[in-house]
Amino acid sequence: MSKWFIRPCKVDIGNMCRKMSINVPLALALQAKGLNTPKKVKDYFNTENYSFGDITELVGVKRSFEIIEKAINENKKIFIYGDYDVDGVTSTVILYKSLKALEANVFYYIPNRVTDGYGLNVNAIERLIGKGMELLITCDNGIAAIEEIKYAKEKGIDVVIYDHHEPVIKDDKEILPEADSVTDAKIENCGYDFTVMCAGGLCYRVMKSFYEYLGQKYTLEKEMIIFAGIATVCDVVDLGENRAIAKRSLELINDNIENTGLRHLVDINSLESINEFHYGFVLGPCINACGRLEDASIAVELFIEENEAKASELALKLFELNAERKAITLDSTDRIINEVENSNLIEDKILVVYDKELHESIAGIVAGRLKERYNKPAIVLTKSEKGVKGSCRSIDKYNIFEALNKEKEYLGKFGGHKLAAGLSLPEENVEKFRCSINQHCSLNKEDFEQVFYIDGQLPFDFISLDGAEELDIMHPFGISNTKPIFGTKDLTCRNIRFLGENKTIVAMELADKSGNSNRAIMFNGGDRIEDILLKKNYSKENCRDAEINIDALYTLEINEYKDYRNVQLNIKDFREI
């Protein structure tokens, strides 16, 4: 059973609509965020001239500028060490292109998911030293690489860290690497108020400020903020300050794509009007796919490539790898869900699944699917060359990084943050780890209940195409800027149809007591509708005449077919009445 909470309404909605010349749905959504005056609304939407804090107040930034400037002036070999996901790729691109434009002697290295694993490793450091590395800059990793950075320093390498993950905690004390400069808003007393930037957003902010420090115009700003926005959406970070980056990124990518490789990736995916969905579920997966199935350096190569023919070839490669990744994911997810539901694992508070056949590159995706399906933290493990590796995805009420820290006696390496993490462990420890993390879990039954926050009760009289379209100005949606959810009581479902290959999607018409009606669709919950119909002696195949009385929660969407556009309610939850 889910929980519904309606956000309090502290203003006269009718008066707000008149003063701001807006429709009721937007007024409800804005006031639910505390944006109930013209000035607050103006500030919320003014992302182009958003007033960011001074990023040089973040610990380590000023010192990193001195180190990098010295390295450029002395023509030292600089290596950027990134990561194989979207955030790691985009932050590498931002640093590489920004420093290259300053004529730095700069190179990049993306670790291989299988042979290197996550983050720094001594073998990679040795190889880079062999190539003449004098300055190592990590992005989207480094904060937990205590021994690896110690090794690099012993070899005389300067080290700058730009990360956003949690630092190592030992005996309740924070342990930081012995780098020349450490920048991570997650460390204690970091000096900056906004602590949830992704690596791409951080590196964009840092490079923009570095150019100002050098007294130079950051001519790459528009190109780089697009990549920062892609990272911000794909890394699923809070959209406080990040919203300004994500929104500006979407505005610019729809206006003019300066980056040759990104333009070809957009074209091959046949994208026109790009929104945050396309970042998170089209472009992001293409970028991730090469790191999952081959090598993420392919994506970096695409985004620094200026030759049209070569960029087209690389974009096609990413597109094809993503198609392959989709097929593998579908098969693996179905197999693992079947394993969970036909074993005692389903009773666990923390789902820990070890599947030796799973391609290790999609462990995180499968963990995410399990988390969404059961609303439980999920850890998916698979066999690797050196034991067992896996990924974790968690729910809001469970800090998975803290949980792993308490189980480190069973683990090898691990790192991440509150909602997502990666780990490795010896195979013989898998069952011990599963039992221990569940034994120490303090979550109760209520914590697994899905919670919906309702932006306002919306009578059907106030639902219109104009009102639904008007909500688009609140984009991009994400954590801390969620898509508005509305609720309406005493509705009748009729004209019910089950759609899709597996007949799991439910389309229907919803009508209120006054006879106002709207088309609606439900992507999750079809089994609940089917159960209700069976009690009324209807089947999925024969239910067009059935009627069900419900209270419903939904978002307002625009349904487009050829030249026809209409409002469609996307049902998020319902209760039979």
Side-chain angles (χ1 to χ4, degrees):
M1 186 72 173
S2 58
K3 293 180 179 179
W4 295 3
F5 295 99
I6 187 163
R7 302 186 195 276
C9 184
K10 300 178 181 180
V11 299
D12 182 326
I13 291 296
N15 189 43
M16 186 175 173
C17 289
R18 287 188 295 273
K19 279 188 174 181
M20 299 186 189
S21 298
I22 58 177
N23 289 287
V24 170
L26 181 58
L28 287 170
L30 291 174
Q31 76 81 29
K33 296 181 182 298
L35 305 171
N36 49 25
T37 67
K39 184 182 183 306
K40 289 180 180 179
V41 171
K42 182 180 178 182
D43 290 344
Y44 173 77
F45 290 120
N46 184 23
T47 53
E48 183 174 356
N49 298 309
Y50 187 87
S51 180
F52 287 101
D54 183 358
I55 200 67
T56 63
E57 295 301 316
L58 183 57
V59 166
V61 172
K62 291 178 181 177
R63 176 61 183 141
S64 73
F65 288 175
E66 296 169 358
I67 297 166
I68 295 171
E69 181 186 24
K70 186 172 185 290
I72 293 173
N73 291 339
E74 296 178 4
N75 198 37
K76 288 185 176 180
K77 270 197 172 181
I78 303 169
F79 273 83
I80 298 161
Y81 195 108
D83 187 30
Y84 41 67
D85 68 357
V86 174
D87 198 23
V89 166
T90 53
S91 53
T92 299
V93 170
I94 290 166
L95 291 177
Y96 177 84
K97 292 202 71 171
S98 297
L99 295 180
K100 193 74 174 176
L102 293 169
E103 299 184 352
N105 189 15
V106 62
F107 305 85
Y108 67 87
Y109 182 85
I110 303 292
N112 182 278
R113 184 185 290 268
V114 176
T115 58
D116 287 319
Y118 169 75
L120 281 171
N121 69 83
V122 170
N123 290 336
I125 292 172
E126 286 181 343
R127 290 197 299 274
L128 298 184
I129 290 174
K131 293 181 179 181
M133 176 176 68
E134 296 169 277
L135 169 60
L136 171 65
I137 303 176
T138 73
C139 54
D140 199 30
N141 71 94
I143 195 67
I146 308 298
E147 295 303 319
E148 292 81 1
I149 288 172
K150 182 180 179 182
Y151 177 83
K153 289 304 301 172
E154 288 173 351
K155 294 294 183 178
I157 306 301
D158 293 330
V159 182
V160 168
I161 295 173
Y162 294 131
D163 202 357
H164 72 120
H165 291 96
E166 301 285 349
V168 173
I169 304 295
K170 187 175 182 180
D171 299 327
D172 295 325
K173 291 184 179 180
E174 190 176 79
I175 309 297
L176 298 181
E178 298 173 3
D180 297 273
S181 167
V182 178
T183 295
D184 187 332
K186 295 287 174 54
I187 66 178
E188 292 178 5
N189 304 315
C190 73
Y192 195 74
D193 290 338
F194 190 70
T195 62
V196 288
M197 289 172 281
C198 65
L202 171 63
C203 290
Y204 156 71
R205 298 275 309 281
V206 165
M207 284 296 100
K208 183 171 184 275
S209 187
F210 182 53
Y211 271 66
E212 292 170 0
Y213 165 84
L214 296 175
Q216 297 202 34
K217 182 176 176 58
Y218 192 32
T219 56
L220 292 169
E221 180 173 5
K222 288 184 178 180
E223 181 182 352
M224 295 303 105
I225 198 172
I226 290 178
F227 284 109
I230 293 171
T232 296
V233 172
C234 291
D235 222 49
V236 200
V237 289
D238 283 15
L239 287 180
E241 272 194 7
N242 293 324
R243 181 177 179 275
I245 291 176
K247 186 172 177 63
R248 186 65 179 144
S249 171
L250 286 166
E251 290 168 353
L252 290 169
I253 199 172
N254 283 295
D255 178 46
N256 178 37
I257 305 176
E258 296 179 7
N259 185 276
T260 305
L262 182 58
R263 177 163 33 81
H264 280 279
L265 189 61
V266 166
D267 288 345
I268 202 163
N269 280 284
S270 302
L271 301 182
E272 293 180 1
S273 181
I274 301 169
N275 58 36
E276 65 270 32
F277 173 85
H278 300 117
Y279 276 7
F281 295 96
V282 181
L283 298 177
C286 283
I287 297 168
N288 273 330
C290 57
R292 296 185 189 283
L293 301 183
E294 287 196 14
D295 194 313
S297 296
I298 301 170
V300 178
E301 187 181 349
L302 169 65
F303 298 135
I304 64 174
E305 181 60 62
E306 295 182 359
N307 178 273
E308 296 285 350
K310 181 64 175 175
S312 177
E313 178 185 326
L314 290 168
L316 177 60
K317 178 74 171 176
L318 265 63
F319 182 81
E320 291 175 340
L321 284 171
N322 191 42
E324 182 182 347
R325 189 274 311 163
K326 287 179 183 177
I328 295 171
T329 300
L330 184 62
D331 177 68
S332 300
T333 302
D334 289 345
R335 185 179 71 250
I336 288 175
I337 286 174
N338 185 63
E339 179 183 347
V340 168
E341 296 191 345
N342 290 283
S343 70
N344 292 331
L345 292 175
I346 193 70
E347 305 298 328
D348 287 351
K349 294 179 179 179
I350 314 298
L351 296 175
V352 180
V353 184
Y354 178 35
D355 187 308
K356 295 181 181 180
E357 297 178 26
L358 183 71
H359 196 297
E360 68 178 72
S361 67
I362 61 167
I365 299 175
V366 177
R369 301 279 171 86
L370 293 180
K371 187 262 295 185
E372 290 168 7
R373 184 179 179 92
Y374 302 106
N375 204 40
K376 291 181 178 182
I379 302 173
V380 174
L381 305 170
T382 189
K383 187 79 172 173
S384 70
E385 290 185 357
K386 298 178 181 178
V388 173
K389 290 173 66 176
S391 292
C392 319
R393 298 295 182 268
S394 194
I395 59 177
D396 287 338
K397 294 190 176 181
Y398 190 75
N399 188 321
I400 193 68
F401 180 81
E402 287 184 0
L404 294 179
N405 201 50
K406 293 174 183 176
E407 306 296 336
K408 56 190 173 187
E409 65 179 290
Y410 302 108
L411 305 178
K413 292 176 67 176
F414 68 93
H417 42 78
K418 179 181 177 181
L419 297 178
L423 73 163
S424 63
L425 68 163
E427 188 172 24
E428 60 269 21
N429 285 358
V430 170
E431 186 60 20
K432 296 174 188 175
F433 168 67
R434 184 186 73 82
C435 293
S436 182
I437 198 169
N438 272 282
Q439 182 181 347
H440 293 146
C441 177
S442 59
L443 292 171
N444 56 49
K445 187 177 179 180
E446 288 187 353
D447 293 326
F448 300 120
E449 294 176 346
Q450 194 165 10
V451 176
F452 292 93
Y453 292 94
I454 308 165
D455 289 81
Q457 295 190 59
L458 185 61
F460 272 17
D461 310 64
F462 297 111
I463 295 177
S464 66
L465 186 60
D466 285 345
E469 289 176 331
E470 196 174 56
L471 289 170
D472 281 345
I473 64 175
M474 296 184 70
H475 281 271
F477 296 118
I479 297 175
S480 297
N481 190 53
T482 53
K483 195 162 195 174
I485 292 179
F486 303 104
T488 308
K489 292 182 175 181
D490 298 328
L491 298 173
T492 300
C493 302
R494 59 195 187 201
N495 197 22
I496 302 168
R497 291 103 62 212
F498 286 79
L499 309 174
E501 184 179 348
N502 298 316
K503 303 297 182 185
T504 56
I505 301 169
V506 184
M508 67 186 75
E509 182 185 351
L510 285 181
D512 66 10
K513 297 299 182 184
S514 300
N516 301 305
S517 65
N518 287 285
R519 293 176 59 174
I521 191 131
M522 182 163 57
F523 293 97
N524 296 302
D527 53 340
R528 293 169 58 199
I529 293 288
E530 184 180 5
D531 289 343
I532 295 169
L533 289 171
L534 288 172
K535 292 175 185 177
K536 294 176 176 286
N537 297 316
Y538 289 97
S539 68
K540 288 171 72 171
E541 295 73 26
N542 182 26
C543 57
R544 294 292 283 264
D545 296 332
E547 291 190 352
I548 302 172
N549 296 318
I550 66 170
D551 297 334
L553 303 185
Y554 53 86
T555 58
L556 294 180
E557 316 285 349
I558 305 295
N559 182 52
E560 298 187 48
Y561 181 72
K562 295 183 178 179
D563 294 329
Y564 181 69
R565 304 176 82 244
N566 70 293
V567 179
Q568 181 170 269
L569 312 187
N570 186 342
I571 299 177
K572 299 301 180 182
D573 198 19
F574 72 92
R575 292 174 179 170
E576 187 183 12
I577 56 175

